[in-house]
Amino acid sequence: MTTFDTTLTPADLKSDVSRLFMKKRLVNFALPAAVLAYLAYVFVAFDMPGLWERASLDNAKTLVSDSYSYKTHVTRDNRSGEVSVAIEGERKGAYPDGTAADWVALGETTVIDLEDGHRVTFGPETIEYAIPGYGTVRATPSRSAGVRAELPEGDVPDWINVSKNRLAVTTEAGRLTVTRNRAEVFRYFAGWELFFFTLDSPYYGMGAGELLHRAATGEAGAIFQEFWTNKMWRHQDVAWAIAETLLMAFLGTIGAGLIALPLAFAATRNFMPLRGIRFAMRRLFDFVRGVDSLIWTVVLARAFGPGPLTGALAILVTDTGTFGKIFSEALENVDQKQIEGVVSTGAKPVQRYRFGVIPQITPVLLSQLLYFLESNTRSATIIGAITGGGIGLLLTQAIITQKDWEEVAYYITLIILMVMLMDWFSGWLRRRLIKGEGGKARRKLAKAEKGSAFLLP
């Protein structure tokens, strides 16, 4: 029975209600205010205005364009006068001596047609760049006097950078850079050039129809070999790197599950009566999962050296603690009646676990294993960059070069596709193993057959 204070007046009740509503309003106001205050602190502490001022939109634009395009370099050695043409400036993408792209006319005076009236001329002594609407820019390199630049009269535009030892002209048609040792022209084209075949391949420049015809006439193996051993895009190395990444994720995840399952029994109240062992096992799980896998990667790399195995061990150590906690919680919630039913049949202790416990936690076990396998596929990419294995290493190398950003885009695309594939695969396995779609289909078929049997005369 509830007792009410009958001495309260209506004014007191109104005051109490008003105070409660005021307190609630203050709480509702305090939370957004705290969030706004924290965001303001972050804005000042991280120097967001200064970050925006230091940001270079031109560099960002170049980075984005490099990811979906390639550039051809026309380089003149100012000491010897030799001119070379190479895609991305690499020797593996260099045109054979005496040959060049159709927009480059080699000779004693090399003429580079950048289209729309933009024309660069490599003369014996002077480099000229004819720019429509502006005039002709001339540069005469000298080992003793640097670079002597001659510009049209007027203010120097922003897209021209000139100093004593360097001249750089950047237009929508291309870029010219002149130093005392060399002159170089960059011209961008959309696409990933030499992705299938390099310049020295007999299949370079062939259309899809001709390639299919040659493949049908017995050259399929040679065509695939030329593509597989591409020296610039290294498809063979990339495929092996992806396999290493998947192997790291698989070995680390499955190994952690196999180790954590028996250890989880020692961390549960209903299977381990000794409190000291339970406490020690739980603290062990907290320790190994409390340290991030990247930290374990650095530690294990010092012990075992770089390589995919080190990455797999780092995933294994971290996930052993996570799986141990998850499995032990699942074991504590098992139905004891099912275990008692198995015991009543005279089953031995091992059989009790096998038929009374494992079937109950199998859905949780498989669900977590498949989820972490998918998640560790992404983690293995970063771990591989540290341990020196997998697609993460190739991605890091491509980023460090600061030039082949189309390769970076290629590797990122493959990583996304790999994660999507693992997501689909784990979902398919989860449906087949946990939800039992195959078993449901068989039961429906059996039920239908049974029903049809009753309808027979």
Side-chain angles (χ1 to χ4, degrees):
M1 183 175 180
T2 305
T3 302
F4 295 94
D5 187 359
T6 58
T7 61
L8 291 176
T9 63
D12 294 333
L13 290 174
K14 183 177 180 181
S15 176
D16 292 341
V17 171
S18 299
R19 187 166 56 254
L20 290 174
F21 275 106
M22 181 61 66
K23 183 178 180 181
K24 189 164 185 170
R25 289 194 191 98
L26 290 176
V27 171
N28 293 337
F29 173 77
L31 184 59
V35 173
L36 290 176
Y38 176 75
L39 293 177
Y41 166 76
V42 170
F43 186 81
V44 175
F46 290 174
D47 191 19
M48 299 300 293
L51 180 64
W52 178 256
E53 292 178 358
R54 293 190 298 271
S56 175
L57 297 181
D58 292 337
N59 291 340
K61 182 180 178 181
T62 302
L63 174 63
V64 172
S65 64
D66 279 349
S67 65
Y68 64 82
S69 64
Y70 70 95
K71 57 182 178 293
T72 302
H73 297 232
V74 183
T75 306
R76 176 183 183 272
D77 189 334
N78 293 332
R79 294 165 295 185
S80 62
E82 296 180 357
V83 177
S84 60
V85 183
I87 295 174
E88 292 298 342
E90 296 187 9
R91 294 182 179 179
K92 293 173 289 187
Y95 283 82
D97 293 339
T99 62
D102 55 5
W103 45 275
V104 179
L106 298 176
E108 183 177 354
T109 297
T110 299
V111 179
I112 304 166
D113 185 7
L114 300 179
E115 296 185 349
D116 297 330
H118 292 260
R119 186 183 300 271
V120 178
T121 303
F122 289 164
E125 301 292 338
T126 303
I127 293 93
E128 297 182 353
Y129 187 177
I131 304 171
Y134 179 70
T136 301
V137 177
R138 296 179 178 83
T140 304
S142 172
R143 293 186 59 85
S144 58
V147 177
R148 189 177 76 253
E150 300 177 20
L151 306 178
E153 295 182 358
D155 297 334
V156 178
D158 296 337
W159 41 271
I160 295 180
N161 189 343
V162 59
S163 65
K164 179 181 179 181
N165 297 316
R166 185 175 180 272
L167 169 69
V169 182
T170 304
T171 65
E172 66 278 3
R175 180 180 178 183
L176 168 66
T177 302
V178 182
T179 63
R180 64 177 64 190
N181 292 325
R182 68 177 183 177
E184 192 167 22
V185 173
F186 306 143
R187 186 179 178 187
Y188 282 86
F189 296 88
W192 291 350
E193 182 66 354
L194 308 183
F195 182 80
F196 295 100
F197 308 106
T198 53
L199 291 169
D200 57 351
S201 172
Y203 303 106
Y204 173 74
M206 291 186 181
E210 186 176 359
L211 287 173
L212 290 174
H213 174 72
R214 286 176 175 263
T217 56
E219 297 185 35
I223 293 174
F224 177 78
Q225 186 67 18
E226 287 290 327
F227 166 79
W228 192 242
T229 58
N230 188 311
K231 296 178 182 178
M232 287 193 67
W233 289 89
R234 302 186 298 170
H235 300 299
Q236 185 176 12
D237 296 337
V238 171
W240 177 250
I242 292 178
E244 282 187 342
T245 301
L246 293 175
L247 184 62
M248 280 192 288
F250 179 81
L251 290 179
T253 306
I254 301 303
L258 294 175
I259 295 174
L261 181 58
L263 295 179
F265 282 93
T268 57
R269 297 185 181 90
N270 47 347
F271 292 102
M272 174 51 64
L274 300 178
R275 185 174 181 180
I277 295 180
R278 292 201 310 267
F279 179 82
M281 195 56 61
R282 289 176 179 271
R283 298 295 77 76
L284 175 63
F285 291 155
D286 292 340
F287 171 71
V288 294
R289 71 187 178 91
V291 180
D292 191 82
S293 57
L294 291 179
I295 306 300
W296 283 118
T297 301
V298 176
V299 173
L300 294 172
R302 294 293 301 270
F304 299 100
L309 181 60
T310 302
L313 288 175
I315 295 174
L316 184 147
V317 171
T318 304
D319 285 0
T320 295
T322 305
F323 286 151
K325 179 177 175 58
I326 294 173
F327 294 167
S328 63
E329 292 176 352
L331 287 170
E332 288 184 344
N333 295 319
V334 295
D335 186 4
Q336 294 296 328
K337 293 181 179 180
Q338 184 170 338
I339 302 175
E340 293 172 358
V342 175
V343 172
S344 65
T345 63
K348 297 179 180 180
V350 176
Q351 294 174 325
R352 298 173 191 173
Y353 292 123
R354 167 64 181 84
F355 298 102
V357 178
I358 299 300
Q360 296 189 57
I361 67 170
T362 296
V364 176
L365 188 149
L366 291 178
S367 178
Q368 294 299 325
L369 280 177
L370 292 175
Y371 171 76
F372 274 86
L373 178 61
E374 172 196 340
S375 177
N376 288 333
T377 302
R378 298 187 296 269
S379 300
T381 302
I382 306 302
I383 291 174
I386 299 176
T387 61
I391 192 68
L393 176 63
L394 296 182
L395 177 63
T396 304
Q397 290 176 342
I399 293 175
I400 290 175
T401 59
Q402 291 288 321
K403 63 173 184 176
D404 294 336
W405 285 100
E406 67 275 13
E407 289 189 13
V408 175
Y410 174 45
Y411 298 148
I412 292 176
T413 301
L414 290 178
I415 292 171
I416 294 174
L417 292 176
M418 178 179 64
V419 172
M420 292 173 61
L421 177 63
M422 289 302 300
D423 178 44
W424 170 84
F425 178 70
S426 64
W428 178 81
L429 274 181
R430 189 179 294 108
R431 291 191 298 270
R432 300 293 294 183
L433 298 176
I434 299 176
K435 296 182 180 180
E437 288 185 354
K440 289 181 180 179
R442 287 191 295 270
R443 288 193 295 271
K444 288 181 181 179
L445 180 61
K447 186 176 181 180
E449 291 177 348
K450 184 177 180 180
S452 62
F454 283 108
L455 295 176
L456 293 175

